[in-house]
Structure formats: C-alpha cells, structure tokens
Amino acid sequence: MRALKLTERFKSTQETSSTSKTSKSAKPTRYRIQQFVSKPKSRINITISEIEKNFPFPLPSSDILEPSIDPYLKPINLVETLADLYSRLENCPQSHKTSLCIEQFSLLRSLGDQKLLRRCLRTARQHAEDVPSKVVLSAWLRFERREDEFVGVSSMDCNGYILECPKSNLVSGFSPCSVISHCQCPQHPKQEIPTTSEENKSLPEEESDVSFCIGDEEIECVRYRIAALSEPFKAMLYGSFAESQLSKIEFSRNGICPKAMRAVELYSRTKRLDLFCAKTVLEVLSFANRFCCEGMKSDCDAHLASIVGNVEDALVLIDYGIEERASLLVGSCLQVLLRELPNSLYNSKVIKILSSPEAKESLAMVGYASFLLYYFLSQVAMEESMVSKTTLMLLERLGECASERWQKALAFHQLGCVLLERKEYKDSQRYFEAAAEAGHVYSMAGVARTKHKQGQPYSAYKLISSIIFEYKPAGWMYQERALYNIGREKSFDLEFATQLDPSLSFPYKYRALAKVEEKQIKEGISELDRIIGFKLSPDCLELRAWLFIALEDFKSAARDVRALLTLEPNYLTSHGKIKGEYLVQLLSHRIQLKSQADCWMQLYEQWSSVDDIGSLAIIHQMLENEPGKSLLEFRQSLLLLRLNCQKAAMRSLRLARNHSSSMQERLIYEGWILYDTGYREEALAKAERSISIQRSFEAYFLKAYVLADASLDAESSSYVIQLLEDALKCPSDGLRKGQALNNLGSIYVDCGKLDLAKECYTNALAIRHTRAHQGLARVYHQKNQRKSAYDEMTKLIEKAENNASAYEKRSEYCDREMAKADLDTATQLDPLRTYPYRYRAAVMMDEQKETEAVEELTKAINFKPDLQMLHLRAAFYESMGDMSSALRDCQAALCLDPNHTDTMNLYRRTQKLSM
C-alpha cells in the first residue's frame, strides 16, 4: 500500500556526497557524528579542521547553498492583483465565484496563513453548483483539517456540516448555506429494508400482460409499465413493431440475465432498487443505457452512488460508472478516494485511476477531469514528496486541464519546481519559461536556476539583472542574483534582499555559513538567531543545531533538534541522511537527561522566561518519557500557535484528542479544534458538554476564551469573569492558572475594575506568569501612572527571551522619541510585527510627511500585505486625495477579509468620492 512512499519529503539544500572530493575554494566542512559521541571535550575556539571531525556529512558550503524556488504563485504586484481579484469577485455571476475563490486561494498561499486559505476553500464550496466541484472542495476542506488522523473517524463520516457532508456533495445545483449550516443526515437512523415478500404484499395487484423470455425463463411484466420506461420500449410495445402484438417476447440476446430483468420489472412498478445486490443493479444500469431508460438509469446511478462506502468499493465501481456514463456513481467513488488522501496516494490502483493520461480522458467523459481536481491532488502529492513520479504525473494532468492564464502559470511553475528537484533541468527550464510566458515573472528565477545548473551562470546573472531593472525590486530577485555573484556583490545582494524581505531565510543561512568558514561559529549562530527569533523554520533550526555541535554545546543542539521535530516529526537532517530522532539519541549521550519531575521544573523556567523554543524542546523530551500524554500535546499546541505554526499546532491538538483518557477531556480538545477552525458555536457546545460531565479548569477556560473572543457587554463580561473564577477553583498547574489569571485581569481592565485586575496580575506574577507584567503595565497606564507602566514593561523585557512584543508594548508608555527607539528595536527583533510600521507612519502623517508615511507602510506591505497596514495606507491615500490608490488598497484589504467593517466603510466612502 505504501510502495510509492518516498522518504525525502523535505529536501535540503544541494546534496553533496560524503565521499566526493571538493575543490579548495568550496571550503567543505565534513562532520562525522559517530566520533563526537565518544570524543573527549576540546577547547571551544576550534578550527574548521577540528569541526570536520564531528559531523557525519558535509554542511553545505556557503558557495553551493541554494534557496528553494517556492512552488506557488508570487505576483510581482500582489496588492494590485488582490485588488483586481476582489473587484471581479464583487461583480461576477454566481457560477464564476468558485473559480475565483480558488484563484484567491492560489494567490494567498504565499502568505502562509492557514485560516485565510481555509476561508477561501469554504467560500468556494459554498458557491459550488456542480457535483464534481462539491466533491473535490469538500475533500479538500477535510484534508486541510486532517480528519483522517482522528481515531474512530471514518473518511465517509459526516461531521454535521453541509459543506463537508458526503451526501450533500452528490446533490447538483447551488443551495445557499453558511459555513456552519448543519445537514440532517446524521439525525436519520437507517430504516430497515423490507424483504421482497413484504414489499410485494404492499403493492396493488396488477395483471401481467406480457412476458420477456430469457433462455428458459419467462419474466411476466405489465406492458404499460415497461413501455413507460423509455421511448424505445413504448415504440416496441405499442408501436408498429411485431412485439406490440405478442404476449411473449424473445429477449435472450439483449445482454440481460433473468434476475436483472426481474429487477427491471419490479422497478417498473415500484421504482425500488434497494432489494437487489450491486451486481444486479449494475446490469440494470447497463440495460437502461442501451434502451434509453433515463429515469431508471438515473435511479440506478443514485442507488449505486449511495452504497460506495470504502476504497475497495470505489475501485470496483468507478470503472463501471465511467463505462456507463453514471456521473453520480463516479462522483461517489471519487469522493471516497479523495477523502482518503493522502493514504490513497500509496495505492497503485488509485494512482492508475487518477494520474495517467488515459484515466484523465476517461474522467473527462463524465465531467470529472477538472483543473480543480488535479490542483487538489497535485498539492497533496507535492506535500508528500516533491520528486515522486505520482507528483509529476498529477502536475502534468493539471497543466492539461489549465485554461486561464493564472492556471497555466501555476501548473507550469509547479512542474518546473518538481523537475528542478528531480534534477531534470532542461525540462524544468521549459516549464518555467512557459509559466513566465503565462505572466508569472517569479518563474524567471526558475529559468535562471536551471540555466545555472546547466553551466550557464553568466546567462542566469544577466536574466535576473534584467528583471531587477524592469520590475519593482523584490527580495527574491536579489536573493536569486546573489547565487550568480561573488564577493562583495554577492553580500550586497543578500543584504538588500533582507532589507526588502526580511522573512527570506536563505540570506541568514548564507551569512551564517560564511561566518563559520571564517572560523566565527558564534557569529554564525548569532546570524541564525536573528531569523529564528521571529520565524521558526526547521532548516534554520537544523543548521543552528549543527553549529552548536561544532561548539560542543550539545544541550543547545538537542534543544534545536527537538524543536524542529515538533514542527516536522519526520524531519531528516544532514541532507536527508539522518532521522532527526536518531540525532537526538546521539546527542543525548553527551548531555544529562532529566527525569519527568525535573522536566516540569525546567518547563516552568522556560515558560517564565518566555522561551518558547526551549519550552517546545522540553515538552518534546517529556513526551519521549510519557508518549501519548494528551496534556503535554495540548501544551505543545498552545506554544506552536504562539509561534504562528498553525499546521503543527493543529497536529498536536489532534494527537491530544486521540490520546485523551476520558470523554470529558476529549470534548475539550475537540472544542479547541473547532474554535481554531472557525466553528465558534460548536466549540462552546463541546465546552458545555464537557462541563456537564465533569467540572474542570480546561472546560471552563475554553468556554470563557471562546465567549471573550466576541465583543463583550457588561452582562457577558460578568459571565466570562464567573467562568474564569470557576476555572481557577478547579485543579490545574501554575502554567495554566497563570494564563487564566492573566485573562481574568484583562476582562477586569475592560470593565474598569482596575484594583481587581491588579490583584489578578500580581497573583499571576507570583506563580511566575511573566507575561502578566504587560497586564500590570496596562493597569498602571489606566491609572495615569505612565512611569510605573514603563517600568513594568522594562521588567518584562529583562526577563523575556523573546521580547519584541514587550518593546512594542512599552512604546505606549513613554514619550515619542523613546517610543520610536523601542519600536525600532521591536522591528529589528521581529520585522514581521506590523504595529511599529503603522505607528511610525502615523507620526510622519502628523508631521505632514505624507510621502514618507506612505513609503514606511509600503516597505512592510511589500513583504507582508497585512490588513491593518493596507487599511491605514488607504486612509492616507484618501486624505491625500489619491482615490484610485485608496480604492486599490481597500479592495486588496477586503480580499484578505471581506467582513472588515472599517475597511468596507472606507471603501464605500472612497467609491462615492471618486465618482
């Protein structure tokens, strides 16, 4: 079943054989891990030759290190593209909305916000009209939540919502519904099917007046009933044919057995098919096709579609469905295969049905070979393996189904990426060029890369330089050109790439390795610290871990490897050669392992110092000591959410749900999953049901958290306060109680009960919930004690390992110059935080520096098109009288969130002013 699985899910930088010889200029660093396990400790300030003795495989030289080409659309002018898309969404007919929502999904993938992407898929499913689209989008939504990982949940189970109900997907036509509209199918228990004798008893007596002879058997029928099945039968039985005068009709040569003919006879009187086995109904379906019995064919199609329950059924029936043009049956079979993803990708029979050119032609005959289908399949395949034959074949089908420019650009670009990973450079270049011809300028980076791989570095350099000259500069352009540059020019390009887009990880990795080659390992680690401080990625954590090994700081190395394994449990280190888990085991020989009690103590330390990566590592070790501990997996998910690792957080939540020891606990985790995926009311229901079973801290906390997410009036605030107080009365540990006290203090501040809020924050600090300093500062600020508020935030800055947000918050409690200094520091620590840019821009507008204010926002929008920044820039443009730019920014912001009230009001106002 898993014969097609490939181990290299995430391919590292260009692979270099440990036995190959490298030129002197490449400065290779070779490391043998089996030696560092038993090697005696040496001095810290070691040379490159000494580092080479420690690692199993070579770290990439800075000269051969390469960034990957991102396999998604990256428009040159994303804001303009989003604005145009929103304009089209506003004015398009209902039938086009699904296609536009998928285009929106493709454009927003580069932002990496899973909630945005999920909303696009939901909206696309809401507006879907045809069965093929409903089947694919429902399965896609299910795949994004990874419900296949829920213990006890079948792929064909209905979760209660229309958008994902397998039965509602097989109903053609648009039916208005909301994201949380419930379906009725789970509420109807299956009715027992009456036996044939019981069925016959309830039928009115009708005298048979014609018999169909098949072999030695005669099937007695009611002539007018058979005639009503189709026009051909009507003509045969009542027209000028000889059969109209016969009471016995020879029917042996019409490809139907006596049993199936009896089924036809019974159907002609009762319209029932559920009394017969699938084989018989299939024969009736074939018979209906031959004699144009459209009603009977439709009912056979629907009946067979309703009995497809697993992959085995689907594999048997889909060929029959295609052969007989039974679209519902094909849809039902396809739905099972899609809802079993990614597991079904490892079934060779499934791959044969989905990915071959002949299979695509067969699916096209029944209306199922669509761009949408192959888009979904290819994305799942790429996530499993970028280099598998299956991935390549599905992307080829995607390209064949592409009709619009953006679809061709996406399909060809992704084909280029996959072929580049497969080292098929000539074909890769051809597809990248096709994508660029379809309007995707970013694909030119792929063209340059393939030219470089084919020994044409100067041609690659000239190509990227021409793009920099022709288009608005972007970080990826300078990053790509740096690959074909040397010396100072290379460093300049990478520094400029970081200025334009600080979220690009490659420049940091390059500079770190360059420092290592200059025997400045600590400086290399500091360079990696810069990006890891605001963007957690496995590749940067891995590289930093190897550098810590070079310094023989095995404790820090183990921390980083454990953290990256939390993000990607199956991660392969050292160019895909060593399992991360194995590396942890090797490192464990050089550090003192802690007991579970010691781990809890250290977790308190890390939590108190706001060291989220350290906390992740400790929890990973604790889960090694106690595998399947749901409480720890839940804590892990909270940390991952705080670090903006949404997919990994949801995986941890699913594991917590699966490993929960009681129904009461399981309901809590299911509630958090529902809340994080947008089902607020359902999350509340889970919390209430959990409380009805057993009063617990987590159930009360969940309910309070969900309710507090909405705008609270005085009555609802009191209710949330009561829930949090009830939570604090239940047993829990200090980590969670500190969070509850912090949340309670926040509600008290909102209600103006400052003394009670101060008491909550003080109690939270007493149990080392360091973030409570921020709440206490807010209390002091509300009491007009700005100095005390400033001092309180200074304490948080001193204690917190990750303190960009603390600098940002402290800026609110000091004068303008000090605030600017704090916000500049916040931007250095975390350039992805948007408030500092908005503040600086607002100050510039106050000083009537309109152009500078817009430039400040534009600088950040270019690498992070944030809703709030787009809204603010639109407001600036409006005040400057530039209505066209204001409209564009409003439309782009509304493409990110169509329900943002302030932006919608600004949009309508600028529309009126621009008329």
Side-chain angles (χ1 to χ4, degrees):
M1 290 288 287
R2 304 183 71 84
L4 297 177
K5 188 168 185 181
L6 298 174
T7 56
E8 288 192 5
R9 180 176 176 187
F10 291 92
K11 201 160 177 67
S12 208
T13 52
Q14 181 175 320
E15 198 173 295
T16 308
S17 170
S18 61
T19 59
S20 65
K21 293 192 177 182
T22 316
S23 66
K24 186 176 180 181
S25 61
K27 298 180 183 177
T29 51
R30 299 178 182 275
Y31 302 103
R32 297 177 179 81
I33 199 152
Q34 56 266 39
Q35 292 185 10
F36 89 70
V37 173
S38 57
K39 180 177 177 289
K41 194 159 187 173
S42 62
R43 56 192 170 87
I44 295 298
N45 186 23
I46 54 181
T47 64
I48 290 295
S49 60
E50 289 173 311
I51 299 173
E52 292 173 0
K53 298 177 182 178
N54 291 331
F55 287 69
F57 299 103
L59 281 176
S61 162
S62 61
D63 292 332
I64 63 172
L65 184 70
E66 291 180 353
S68 60
I69 303 292
D70 294 326
Y72 42 71
L73 295 180
K74 291 179 71 169
I76 284 288
N77 297 306
L78 181 58
V79 172
E80 288 82 349
T81 306
L82 292 178
D84 172 68
L85 178 60
Y86 181 78
S87 179
R88 286 186 283 141
L89 276 166
E90 266 193 309
N91 303 305
C92 75
Q94 162 61 38
S95 58
H96 292 177
K97 281 199 179 286
T98 292
S99 176
L100 287 174
C101 288
I102 295 303
E103 183 179 352
Q104 182 185 31
F105 172 88
S106 302
L107 291 171
L108 295 179
R109 280 195 69 203
S110 62
L111 304 184
D113 188 325
Q114 298 304 312
K115 290 184 178 180
L116 272 181
L117 299 180
R118 195 157 41 236
R119 193 187 66 221
C120 292
L121 291 176
R122 281 179 180 159
T123 308
R125 172 60 185 87
Q126 275 181 284
H127 293 287
E129 295 181 323
D130 57 288
V131 170
S133 295
K134 291 180 180 180
V135 163
V136 174
L137 288 166
S138 174
W140 203 334
L141 283 167
R142 188 180 186 280
F143 175 78
E144 287 299 314
R145 282 206 322 279
R146 302 298 200 275
E147 279 202 358
D148 59 291
E149 295 181 14
F150 284 174
V151 171
V153 174
S154 166
S155 65
M156 293 302 290
D157 285 348
C158 176
N159 65 359
Y161 304 108
I162 288 178
L163 294 188
E164 297 180 46
C165 174
K167 291 183 180 178
S168 68
N169 293 332
L170 300 179
V171 179
S172 184
F174 172 68
S175 53
C177 61
S178 71
V179 170
I180 58 172
S181 294
H182 291 273
C183 63
Q184 301 301 313
C185 66
Q187 301 173 17
H188 297 305
K190 286 187 177 180
Q191 298 177 350
E192 290 193 18
I193 299 173
T195 63
T196 306
S197 58
E198 290 172 338
E199 173 66 24
N200 288 333
K201 285 178 185 177
S202 63
L203 296 174
E205 290 292 332
E206 290 188 273
E207 187 175 346
S208 302
D209 54 357
V210 66
S211 296
F212 288 85
C213 301
I214 301 174
D216 297 332
E217 297 190 45
E218 292 184 13
I219 294 89
E220 295 183 346
C221 302
V222 179
R223 183 180 292 267
Y224 85 90
R225 293 283 189 184
I226 299 296
L229 292 177
S230 71
E231 287 300 318
F233 271 124
K234 183 179 179 181
M236 182 179 76
L237 296 174
Y238 286 106
S240 57
F241 291 95
E243 285 84 355
S244 64
Q245 305 299 318
L246 299 176
S247 59
K248 292 185 179 181
I249 299 172
E250 176 58 39
F251 222 60
S252 296
R253 297 182 179 180
N254 285 285
I256 188 169
C257 70
K259 185 177 181 181
M261 192 62 204
R262 289 192 183 90
V264 171
E265 187 279 328
L266 184 61
Y267 174 84
S268 73
R269 292 182 294 115
T270 67
K271 300 297 184 282
R272 291 283 297 274
L273 292 163
D274 54 352
L275 304 177
F276 303 97
C277 66
K279 183 179 178 182
T280 299
V281 179
L282 281 169
E283 197 170 347
V284 173
L285 171 64
S286 180
F287 177 84
N289 254 336
R290 284 199 301 278
F291 287 91
C292 303
C293 305
E294 294 303 324
M296 186 162 68
K297 175 187 176 180
S298 178
D299 287 347
C300 287
D301 190 7
H303 173 74
L304 290 167
S306 71
I307 65 173
V308 182
N310 53 51
V311 172
E312 289 70 28
D313 292 342
L315 291 173
V316 169
L317 293 172
I318 193 168
D319 287 335
Y320 287 104
I322 291 171
E323 183 179 349
E324 300 298 340
R325 305 294 193 273
S327 60
L328 273 186
L329 175 56
V330 174
S332 184
C333 294
L334 196 58
Q335 176 165 247
V336 170
L337 302 182
L338 295 180
R339 290 169 76 96
E340 286 284 346
L341 289 171
N343 294 334
S344 53
L345 281 182
Y346 301 114
N347 186 322
S348 59
K349 293 179 181 178
V350 173
I351 294 306
K352 184 179 179 182
I353 288 170
L354 294 177
S355 64
S356 70
E358 299 76 21
K360 182 212 142 194
E361 294 303 319
S362 297
L363 289 172
M365 291 190 295
V366 281
Y368 282 90
S370 64
F371 179 86
L372 181 61
L373 170 66
Y374 288 107
Y375 189 14
F376 174 37
L377 287 169
S378 60
Q379 300 318 294
V380 176
M382 288 172 71
E383 195 170 307
E384 291 295 297
S385 169
M386 279 288 286
V387 296
S388 75
K389 181 68 174 176
T390 298
T391 301
L392 183 59
M393 291 175 69
L394 288 171
L395 283 170
E396 288 171 345
R397 304 294 81 76
L398 181 69
E400 292 164 4
C401 292
S403 56
E404 299 179 39
R405 277 173 64 85
W406 76 266
Q407 293 176 347
K408 292 177 181 178
L410 176 67
F412 296 150
H413 179 74
Q414 292 189 333
L415 271 165
C417 290
V418 166
L419 288 164
L420 179 63
E421 289 292 319
R422 290 167 62 92
K423 301 182 180 179
E424 299 175 30
Y425 301 128
K426 187 171 289 188
D427 288 338
S428 176
Q429 179 181 339
R430 178 165 54 88
Y431 279 114
F432 279 132
E433 287 172 342
E437 190 175 336
H440 191 230
V441 178
Y442 176 62
S443 293
M444 296 303 288
V447 176
R449 192 73 64 87
T450 53
K451 283 177 176 287
H452 176 58
K453 294 292 185 182
Q454 295 173 83
Q456 305 169 41
Y458 183 61
S459 178
Y461 174 84
K462 285 200 304 182
L463 179 60
I464 297 300
S465 294
S466 68
I467 291 171
I468 291 172
F469 179 77
E470 185 175 352
Y471 296 98
K472 181 177 71 174
W476 65 263
M477 297 176 186
Y478 287 90
Q479 173 179 270
E480 190 65 29
R481 191 173 71 172
L483 298 180
Y484 320 122
N485 244 327
I486 58 173
R488 290 185 177 180
E489 288 80 7
K490 189 184 192 85
S491 298
F492 169 81
D493 277 352
L494 289 175
E495 286 295 341
F496 201 49
T498 299
Q499 290 176 30
L500 291 172
D501 186 353
S503 67
L504 295 172
S505 61
F506 170 74
Y508 300 92
K509 292 167 65 177
Y510 173 85
R511 288 188 289 262
L513 283 172
K515 294 291 185 184
V516 170
E517 289 166 359
E518 294 170 1
K519 305 178 185 179
Q520 300 176 26
I521 302 175
K522 289 183 178 179
E523 289 78 1
I525 290 171
S526 296
E527 184 64 33
L528 292 171
D529 289 343
R530 288 174 58 196
I531 187 167
I532 291 173
F534 64 88
K535 183 183 177 183
L536 200 58
S537 62
D539 58 336
C540 290
L541 282 170
E542 180 196 359
L543 182 54
R544 192 172 72 170
W546 287 117
L547 299 188
F548 276 126
I549 291 173
L551 289 178
E552 299 194 355
D553 185 352
F554 302 119
K555 182 178 178 182
S556 296
R559 176 204 62 199
D560 282 356
V561 178
R562 288 186 183 278
L564 79 84
L565 286 175
T566 304
L567 299 177
E568 294 291 345
N570 299 316
Y571 192 85
L572 298 172
T573 68
S574 195
H575 319 305
K577 295 295 192 297
I578 300 178
K579 284 186 177 181
E581 292 178 354
Y582 179 61
L583 182 55
V584 168
Q585 292 174 16
L586 293 172
L587 288 166
S588 297
H589 293 323
R590 297 302 301 266
I591 59 178
Q592 184 176 356
L593 293 180
K594 293 180 170 57
S595 67
Q596 199 73 340
D598 290 335
C599 284
W600 272 111
M601 293 297 294
Q602 189 171 349
L603 181 59
Y604 272 91
E605 292 287 342
Q606 307 288 4
W607 201 282
S608 179
S609 63
V610 197
D611 179 4
D612 293 331
I613 295 176
S615 298
L616 276 182
I618 291 298
I619 290 178
H620 185 272
Q621 183 178 340
M622 294 170 80
L623 282 167
E624 267 187 2
N625 298 337
E626 290 186 75
K629 185 76 170 178
S630 58
L631 172 65
L632 294 172
E633 288 161 340
F634 176 55
R635 301 297 167 82
Q636 191 178 67
S637 73
L638 297 176
L639 281 165
L640 289 165
L641 277 177
R642 186 183 296 162
L643 291 163
N644 199 31
C645 303
Q646 296 177 31
K647 278 194 173 183
M650 289 301 293
R651 182 179 61 244
S652 294
L653 260 181
R654 290 192 296 272
L655 288 172
R657 180 260 186 206
N658 288 343
H659 295 143
S660 53
S661 57
S662 66
M663 175 59 72
Q664 172 266 337
E665 185 184 13
R666 176 173 150 183
L667 287 166
I668 293 165
Y669 302 140
E670 288 180 351
W672 281 112
I673 291 170
L674 286 165
Y675 173 74
D676 287 336
T677 50
Y679 295 103
R680 187 173 171 273
E681 296 301 320
E682 288 70 14
L684 278 174
K686 294 283 186 182
E688 287 164 358
R689 190 174 159 201
S690 180
I691 292 169
S692 70
I693 297 172
Q694 180 183 334
R695 295 159 58 93
S696 70
F697 173 90
E698 291 298 350
Y700 281 122
F701 187 87
L702 169 61
K703 187 173 181 181
Y705 194 93
V706 175
L707 287 172
D709 191 35
S711 298
L712 297 178
D713 54 26
E715 184 178 349
S716 53
S717 293
S718 297
Y719 185 44
V720 172
I721 287 170
Q722 183 59 54
L723 288 170
L724 287 171
E725 288 176 345
D726 289 341
L728 288 164
K729 293 173 186 174
C730 298
S732 186
D733 58 72
L735 298 176
R736 293 299 281 157
K737 290 208 170 185
Q739 183 65 61
L741 286 165
N742 202 62
N743 289 12
L744 183 56
S746 180
I747 302 292
Y748 278 137
V749 172
D750 291 339
C751 295
K753 301 177 180 179
L754 300 182
D755 290 335
L756 289 173
K758 182 178 180 180
E759 182 181 350
C760 285
Y761 291 129
T762 303
N763 290 339
L765 288 171
I767 52 177
R768 302 176 68 186
H769 187 78
T770 307
R771 286 181 174 85
H773 282 298
Q774 183 168 317
L776 199 52
R778 188 180 170 207
V779 170
Y780 288 134
H781 182 61
Q782 293 283 322
K783 291 183 173 184
N784 294 318
Q785 300 174 15
R786 293 188 70 193
K787 176 65 168 59
S788 297
Y790 181 90
D791 292 343
E792 204 63 39
M793 289 309 301
T794 302
K795 294 176 185 176
L796 178 56
I797 288 170
E798 291 169 351
K799 291 181 182 179
E801 185 84 15
N802 185 0
N803 51 23
S805 62
Y807 277 106
E808 181 182 296
K809 194 68 181 174
R810 191 176 71 171
S811 70
E812 298 178 21
Y813 309 132
C814 51
D815 60 40
R816 178 170 287 189
E817 285 304 312
M818 293 176 69
K820 185 178 181 304
D822 273 355
L823 290 175
D824 288 346
T825 302
T827 297
Q828 289 175 13
L829 294 171
D830 184 354
L832 300 185
R833 301 188 74 85
T834 62
Y835 174 76
Y837 300 98
R838 288 185 282 131
Y839 176 88
R840 287 189 290 263
V843 170
M844 291 172 189
M845 283 297 284
D846 287 345
E847 296 171 350
Q848 298 184 336
K849 297 176 181 178
E850 295 176 338
T851 303
E852 292 88 339
V854 168
E855 287 175 354
E856 178 68 20
L857 291 175
T858 302
K859 178 173 63 177
I861 288 171
N862 284 340
F863 64 84
K864 186 177 181 180
D866 173 77
L867 171 69
Q868 297 292 343
M869 286 194 291
L870 285 166
H871 173 84
L872 184 58
R873 193 172 70 171
F876 286 177
Y877 278 130
E878 183 202 27
S879 70
M880 295 161 64
D882 187 350
M883 295 305 161
S884 62
S885 296
L887 281 171
R888 178 204 62 204
D889 281 358
C890 283
Q891 289 171 330
L894 291 170
C895 197
L896 298 176
D897 184 359
N899 300 315
H900 193 254
T901 306
D902 290 343
T903 303
M904 182 56 73
N905 292 338
L906 177 59
Y907 181 46
R908 289 169 181 158
R909 190 166 66 245
T910 51
Q911 280 181 314
K912 290 178 182 178
L913 292 171
S914 61
M915 288 179 180

